[in-house]
Amino acid sequence: MSIGIDQLSFFVPPYYVDMPELAIARNVDPNKYIIGIGQSQMAIAPKTQDIVTFAANAAKQILTKENQEKIDMIIVGTESSTDESKASAVVLHRLLGLSPFTRSFEIKQACYGATAGIQIARDHIAAHPDSQVLVIATDNARYGLNSGGEPTQGAGAVAMILSANPRILELSSETVAFTQDVYDFWRPTGNLYPEVNGPLSNETYIASFQKIWDEYTTRYSQSFADFAALCFHVPYTKMGKKALLSKLETAPHEIAELLLERYEESIHYSRKVGNLYTGSLYLGLISLLETSVALKPGDKIGLFSYGSGSVAEFFTGHLVDGYKHHLHEELHTQLLSRRIKLAIPEYEQLFNDTLDMTKYSQFQDDQPFSITEIKDYIRFYRQ
């Protein structure tokens, strides 16, 4: 029985910042952002939107009545949880109208959480072939104004429906996970923004890919020649490329060139959105599938997931015949093109305008899902 991704889509909030303009405002050479880290735009969310609304807006684009009846598990991967106890998946379960007989929970391990969710979903479907699982990666990456991490912020969600006999990507059993206890990026409870050791984070990310790739090629007798494309977690779009280049030197020139071309296709959307944390790998997968004209059914895709702290995993899948018919390129193109560009003072004002959970407030936002009210420390959502 084949198991994998049957549907997938993404949502980002309706505002963005132009990176060259941000660079000038921060007295930085714009090429440092455009070329150095590979970002041209950065998604920004108002206080009326959070990980729940991102997730609901992304999921609503792919859910049908049949899905609502068949889904018996909803998993949210996030490191931007809105509550220390209650999982965002429970709120989403109600907003999305899923069956009451559904298992709902949240996974946290930095940017790796959604990948853990996919592996759990795969095992669940193997035991229950008629079921479907909704896996959502949703985050709001915030480092603070004028901080070193500011140009690598972003916001949004990727929603995926996993099932038997998937129509987009059939997952294989070839997977290698790697864990090591390191403080390259962390956010202690109560801290508004994360602590980051940038050089160590880059070094750990690249070393993790190198170790996993070596183990994968040994364990499964595979090489770069077996892949049509590789997708990476991208906190910024140059990060995955650095890791890929560190091992591509062992590949024949023509194979290396092909994989680098596919890599550029996989970061097309991320350049315009920024860092989605748990969703960045899967935004890359959507970008690859919707941008590339070189891929074909049966092609093998590799996916490298990395969550600081750190847990990494490399897993694979094959494109299903007819996968192009189940993508949402036009919807995603319109979503990105209709966003509003914020001037830097507008961006800074929006960034600083945050929710006060201690007092009663009401809000108005035209997105299909948004926060309408704060009362007694509870977020009420419009659906």
Side-chain angles (χ1 to χ4, degrees):
M1 175 178 62
S2 65
I3 299 170
I5 298 173
D6 186 69
Q7 282 288 303
L8 76 170
S9 185
F10 73 85
F11 174 84
V12 294
Y15 302 104
Y16 75 93
V17 170
D18 180 76
M19 296 303 284
E21 291 182 10
L22 179 62
I24 292 168
R26 301 295 182 253
N27 296 312
V28 171
D29 180 352
N31 286 330
K32 182 175 180 181
Y33 292 172
I34 296 295
I35 300 172
I37 64 174
Q39 297 298 141
S40 57
Q41 297 172 351
M42 183 171 73
I44 301 296
K47 65 182 179 183
T48 50
Q49 294 174 32
D50 62 10
I51 61 166
V52 171
T53 67
F54 300 158
N57 281 309
K60 199 66 175 178
Q61 295 168 168
I62 56 175
L63 280 176
T64 65
K65 183 172 175 52
E66 181 183 1
N67 296 138
Q68 289 172 309
E69 294 171 352
K70 285 192 169 185
I71 289 171
D72 61 2
M73 183 182 290
I74 173 172
I75 306 171
V76 173
T78 186
E79 56 179 284
S80 311
S81 187
T82 58
D83 192 282
E84 293 286 348
S85 177
K86 184 173 182 175
S88 56
V90 174
V91 182
L92 282 164
H93 169 270
R94 175 179 60 82
L95 293 177
L96 297 173
L98 302 181
S99 163
F101 303 105
T102 300
R103 182 176 290 136
S104 307
F105 58 97
E106 194 174 281
I107 295 177
K108 179 189 75 177
Q109 173 37 51
C111 302
Y112 171 76
T115 299
I118 283 177
Q119 299 302 338
I120 291 169
R122 185 176 178 276
D123 291 345
H124 175 75
I125 294 165
H128 307 278
D130 292 331
S131 71
Q132 295 182 350
V133 179
L134 177 61
V135 178
I136 305 179
T138 180
D139 270 301
N140 193 357
R142 290 165 59 92
Y143 294 90
L145 301 177
N146 290 287
S147 67
E150 183 182 28
T152 62
Q153 298 178 133
V158 176
M160 298 169 277
I161 297 174
L162 277 78
S163 71
N165 304 313
R167 293 175 291 178
I168 295 177
L169 186 73
E170 178 184 342
L171 296 173
S172 81
S173 58
E174 295 177 1
T175 178
V176 175
F178 179 71
T179 296
Q180 56 182 337
D181 185 8
V182 58
Y183 279 88
D184 58 328
F185 171 107
W186 67 107
R187 182 161 66 90
T189 301
N191 280 28
L192 189 59
Y193 303 123
E195 300 292 323
V196 185
N197 183 331
L200 178 61
S201 187
N202 290 342
E203 175 188 321
T204 306
Y205 177 109
I206 293 171
S208 295
F209 175 69
Q210 292 172 338
K211 291 172 183 176
I212 277 186
W213 180 254
D214 289 343
E215 175 64 22
Y216 173 81
T217 56
T218 300
R219 190 181 296 184
Y220 297 108
S221 301
Q222 300 283 294
S223 71
F224 284 120
D226 294 294
F227 289 87
L230 274 74
C231 291
F232 287 76
H233 163 62
V234 282
Y236 55 92
T237 65
K238 276 295 183 69
M239 187 70 256
K241 189 173 184 178
K242 290 178 182 179
L244 179 59
L245 286 172
S246 75
K247 297 303 290 185
L248 265 186
E249 59 191 23
T250 63
H253 176 74
E254 62 276 11
I255 298 296
E257 288 298 308
L258 180 148
L259 291 177
L260 287 171
E261 287 175 12
R262 300 293 81 74
Y263 180 82
E264 292 300 320
E265 292 165 347
S266 75
I267 61 172
H268 176 68
Y269 290 152
S270 293
R271 283 185 181 278
K272 300 178 180 182
V273 172
N275 191 358
L276 292 193
Y277 281 165
T278 50
S280 74
L281 169 60
Y282 302 101
L283 180 64
L285 175 61
I286 295 173
S287 179
L288 172 70
L289 300 185
E290 294 185 351
T291 303
S292 182
V293 296
L295 295 175
K296 61 186 184 303
D299 277 348
K300 186 173 185 176
I301 309 295
L303 299 104
F304 176 68
S305 181
Y306 176 80
S308 294
S310 68
V311 178
E313 185 163 350
F314 184 78
F315 61 107
T316 66
H318 291 85
L319 292 176
V320 177
D321 189 22
Y323 76 93
K324 278 282 189 185
H325 300 300
H326 304 287
L327 302 176
H328 303 280
E329 182 178 358
E330 184 177 351
L331 183 152
H332 295 145
T333 300
Q334 290 178 357
L335 176 66
L336 293 172
S337 65
R338 290 174 179 170
R339 294 179 301 165
I340 298 168
K341 184 175 84 166
L342 298 176
I344 301 305
E346 293 175 312
Y347 149 64
E348 293 175 340
Q349 181 179 2
L350 185 147
F351 188 94
N352 286 322
D353 185 20
T354 55
L355 289 177
D356 183 348
M357 298 298 294
T358 66
K359 66 179 185 181
Y360 177 76
S361 303
Q362 289 183 310
F363 309 102
Q364 182 61 44
D365 185 320
D366 346 356
Q367 290 297 323
F369 294 91
S370 63
I371 299 172
T372 60
E373 188 178 4
I374 299 294
K375 183 179 180 181
D376 298 330
Y377 295 93
I378 299 172
R379 302 178 189 218
F380 292 87
Y381 296 93
R382 179 167 72 89
Q383 63 184 114

